[in-house]
């Protein structure tokens, strides 16, 4: 069983301050610019965390509002100190870096900050004396600057006054402390050699995705360079000759994406042998994606001798037998070598088994989404077909990938699919609340970012693995908004609609009325009615139709505002249309009548079931106002006792539920007395008699397909003389529930004051004897309940 370790105080405090800047660290000027309070000084440990967490919140939490002037809070080193920043995506702009230009940054990682331009290159110069680590990975526009043109062209037409041109004069002159540099995926055409030459003591260099015919300039760091990454560089023998001269290398990555393009270079046994021979300090090597021109592996027969071993002398990869010690990491993803038995490395990325796949996801997530997506797809197959042995690690890695690549469709598709299997019931007991909340967050991020069918379906299915509504309550409004957005009737994907309606129904079941009212105001009632209307037009009664009515039943429970919305948006017409179109759909009838029971419980709305108020929007030619609507009301109420609806009142479908709900609706209407009965047909007496016959036909021991959270609407029907049949229906309902489900409903009835009300029924002279018998049985069941249960409920 996984334990839930709480968030650190630093994490909680940072999050609170960022969400409440005006109430904690800042004040707001008249022009909506944030300013740090003058009495505040923040050390680098806090400032770094505030900025880095701010970036994470903007990326991961749609409810978090970014502040345009946020970075200006850190403009003065006298009150704030920044040293290590990790900024990503297009949140960061030139003016943000300019705002912190006075800071003495030691580490600055800019990842996929596509809105940065050459202005930011000039800002970097401000950090040249202190900067040790710098990443410009994926900052595709940072080497472009605007060239200003004249406002008119030759034809005297106004043109764009500027255009983007490549900046060619930037170098790292003066960056004497820079040791770690990542230029991966920078703009084509930049003179990398010229830019890097001023650096004297470079230790780590990443040139991923940069095509260079000549890398001989790297030898100027042959005594200092310990890490070189040339992922997706089209290599040649000349490149290899340079690399083997970098004899201090500890980490070498010459891997490639096997699907990206055609590479002429073939990795051979000779090349691998030269690495082992020349790079004696090597502890990490990545050759993923390469196709071997020569056979570097032992024969299958020799390879299978003995258990797997990391001993270099037993290596199945022949060139690695010369290693002095096993490698810490060996990248073999999408190569045939990863399937060999004896691999001299403690950690291997590959596609052979779960361990190798997880290592691949871990190694490539940040900078190689194209590789990561394929690795996650392999994990999906493992989780789907087998049981994951490291499912917590797998879950954390997929979450990290989805957060890191929120806008990468391929990762969102594969990641959301993997999450479905990694969060199912088999793994539930080992997952902490915090971890499952992280899953929910990234799932909702995916739903927000992509309207694509596969992503939406995967995300909805994953949410079905969670306890609803309790596990989703911390994101209750957000998840409802996303689901309602999916349920646009014009969408054609039935599977997504079905899952989304199911989730909506579950979300409004067993939650408090505040939640239901909030969801109703978000458009829940209208959305469900539109779905029903669309199904009616298609003459289709499927799960979407039934779930929609069930969801309306749940959301209107003890929520008068939602009941009123149902009437105002034409719900009664759809109810009648569904009865007429689907007379044999018993589950549908149960859900619809349950909903009408909720409407009937609202005293202020009951007249709309019995008077012309509901149909004042209709005008019927020359018919008098008092006559036309009454005809319609008569036809509507008569429908309740026409052959079709007579079957509802007397139906034995779904046990007694259809008949029970129909009788419940009428019980509340009858409760308003004869003076509220404005129609001539059928008569109130006729309705009364048919209700008695229906109730007397029910088996008191019936097991119920219903769940009461409160008996208050039923209890209010007990102490009255105006409608004995309503009183009898309420008494029958209570006795059935406390006798069939005593552990659940006896304490609830005691808690809500049922005992004295049942005694009152026994004393009333107008109460029928059969009603008194039911009340006596119920009172006896309650009075024999163990005293500890009664005390427990009262407390």
């Amino acid at each position: 069983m996984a334990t839930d370790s709480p968030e650190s105080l630093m994490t909680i405090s940072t999050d609170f301050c960022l969400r409440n800047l005006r109430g904690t660290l800042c004040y707001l000027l008249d022009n909506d610019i944030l300013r740090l309070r003058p009495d505040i000084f923040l050390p680098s440990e806090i400032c770094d965390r505030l900025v880095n967490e701010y970036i994470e919140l903007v990326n991961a939490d749609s409810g978090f509002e970014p502040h345009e002037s946020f970075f200006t809070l850190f403009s003065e080193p006298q009150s704030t100190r920044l040293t290590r920043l990790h900024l990503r995506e297009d949140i960061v702009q030139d003016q943000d870096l300019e705002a912190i230009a006075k800071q003495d940054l030691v580490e600055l990682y800019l990842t996929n900050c596509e809105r940065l331009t050459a202005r930011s290159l000039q800002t970097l110069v401000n950090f040249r004396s202190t900067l040790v680590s710098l990443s410009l990975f994926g900052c595709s526009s940072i080497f472009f600057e605007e060239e200003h043109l004249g406002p008119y062209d030759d034809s005297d037409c106004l043109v764009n006054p500027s255009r983007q041109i490549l900046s060619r004069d930037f170098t790292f002159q003066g960056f004497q402390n820079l040791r770690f540099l990542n230029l991966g995926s920078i703009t084509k055409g930049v003179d990398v050699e010229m830019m890097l030459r001023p650096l004297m003591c470079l230790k780590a260099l990443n040139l991923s995705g940069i095509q260079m015919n000549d890398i001989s300039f790297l030898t100027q760091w042959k005594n200092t360079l310990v890490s070189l990454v040339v992922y997706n560089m089209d290599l040649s023998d000349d490149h290899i000759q340079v690399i083997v001269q970098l004899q201090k290398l500890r980490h070498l990555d010459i891997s490639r994406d096997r699907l990206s393009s055609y590479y002429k270079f073939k990795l051979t046994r000779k090349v691998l042998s030269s690495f082992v021979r020349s790079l004696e300090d090597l502890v990490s090597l990545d050759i993923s994606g390469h196709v071997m021109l020569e056979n570097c592996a032992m024969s299958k027969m020799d390879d299978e001798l003995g258990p797997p071993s990391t001993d270099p002398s037993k290596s199945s990869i022949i060139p690695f037998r010369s290693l002095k010690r096993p490698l810490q990491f060996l990248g073999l993803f999408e190569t045939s070598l990863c399937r060999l038995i004896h691999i001299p490395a403690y950690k291997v990325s590959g596609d052979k088994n779960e361990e190798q796949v997880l290592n691949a996801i871990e190694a490539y997530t940040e900078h190689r989404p194209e590789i990561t997506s394929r690795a996650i797809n392999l994990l999906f197959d493992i989780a789907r077909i087998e049981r994951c042995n490291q499912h917590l690690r797998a879950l954390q890695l997929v979450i990290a990938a989805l957060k890191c690549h929120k806008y990468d469709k391929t990762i969102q598709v594969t990641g959301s699919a993997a999450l479905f299997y990694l969060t199912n019931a088999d793994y539930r007991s080992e997952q902490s609340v915090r971890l499952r909340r992280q899953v929910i967050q990234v799932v909702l991020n995916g739903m927000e970012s992509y309207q694509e069918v596969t992503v939406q379906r995967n995300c909805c299915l994953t949410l079905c693995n969670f306890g609803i509504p309790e596990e989703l309550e911390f994101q209750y409004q957000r998840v409802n908004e996303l689901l309602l957005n999916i349920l646009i009737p014009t969408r054609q994907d039935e599977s997504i609609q079905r899952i989304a309606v199911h989730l909506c129904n579950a979300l409004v079941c067993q939650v408090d009325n505040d939640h239901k009212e909030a969801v109703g105001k978000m458009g829940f009632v209208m959305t469900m009615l539109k779905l029903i209307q669309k199904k009616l037009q298609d003459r289709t009664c499927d799960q979407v139709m039934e779930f929609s009515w069930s969801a309306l039943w749940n959301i209107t429970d003890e929520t008068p505002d939602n009941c009123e919305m149902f009437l105002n948006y034409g719900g009664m017409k759809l109810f009648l249309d569904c009865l007429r179109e689907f007379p044999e759909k018993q589950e549908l009838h149960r859900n619809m009548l349950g909903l009408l029971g909720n409407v009937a419980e609202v005293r202020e709305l009951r007249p709309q079931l019995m008077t012309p108020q509901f149909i004042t929007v209709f005008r019927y030619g020359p018919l008098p106002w008092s006559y036309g609507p009454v005809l319609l009301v008569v036809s509507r109420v008569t429908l309740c006792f026409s052959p079709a609806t007579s079957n509802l009142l007397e139906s034995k479908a779904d046990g007694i539920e259809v008949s029970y709900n129909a009788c419940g609706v009428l019980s509340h209407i009858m409760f308003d007395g004869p003076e509220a009965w404005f129609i001539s047909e059928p008569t109130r007496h006729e309705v009364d008699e048919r209700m008695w016959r229906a109730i007397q036909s029910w088996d008191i021991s019936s097991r119920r397909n219903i769940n009461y959270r409160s008996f208050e609407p039923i209890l209010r029907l007990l102490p009255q003389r105006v409608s004995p049949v309503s009183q009898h229906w309420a008494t029958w309902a209570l006795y059935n529930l406390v006798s069939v489900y005593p552990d659940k409903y006896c304490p609830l009835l005691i808690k809500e004051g049922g005992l004295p009300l049942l005694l009152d029924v026994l004393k009333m002279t107008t109460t029928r004897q059969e009603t008194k018998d039911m009340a006596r049985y119920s009172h006896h069941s309650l009075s024999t309940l163990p005293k500890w249960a009664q005390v427990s409920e009262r407390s």
Side-chain angles (χ1 to χ4, degrees), residues 712-751:
E712 194 276 332
I714 296 178
L715 292 175
R716 74 169 75 113
L717 299 177
L718 292 180
Q720 49 94 15
R721 293 176 171 84
V722 70
S723 176
V725 72
S726 301
Q727 185 185 56
H728 187 66
W729 175 83
T731 308
W732 189 99
L734 293 174
Y735 179 55
N736 166 256
L737 293 168
V738 299
S739 60
V740 177
Y741 306 100
D743 293 343
K744 181 176 182 179
Y745 287 120
C746 283
L748 178 62
L749 190 52
I750 291 173
K751 179 181 179 181

Side-chain angles (χ1 to χ4, degrees), residues 134-151:
L134 174 64
S135 172
L136 302 179
F137 183 89
C139 299
S140 57
S141 299
I142 201 168
F143 286 94
F144 283 102
E145 59 187 355
E146 290 185 351
E147 180 185 44
H148 293 281
L149 306 173

Side-chain angles (χ1 to χ4, degrees), residues 261-308:
S261 61
Y262 176 74
Y263 291 93
K264 297 177 183 178
F265 179 77
K266 303 295 183 181
L267 193 59
T268 65
R269 177 172 172 175
K270 178 181 178 181
V271 172
L272 289 182
S273 296
S274 67
F275 288 161
V276 173
R277 182 175 61 254
S278 302
L279 308 178
E280 295 183 353
D281 294 334
L282 207 62
V283 296
S284 172
L285 175 64
D286 201 330
I287 55 174
S288 297
H290 278 281
V291 177
M292 306 300 169
L293 187 63
E294 298 177 10
N295 186 6
C296 297
M298 297 289 294
S299 68
K300 184 177 181 181
M301 183 179 296
D302 292 337
D303 188 43
E304 292 177 350
L305 293 176

Side-chain angles (χ1 to χ4, degrees), residues 45 101 107 133 219 327 447 476 519 578 594 640 667 730 759:
E45 293 83 359
E107 291 180 8
S133 297
T219 57
L327 296 171
M447 292 174 70
Y476 193 78
V519 173
C578 284
C640 293
S667 292
L759 286 175

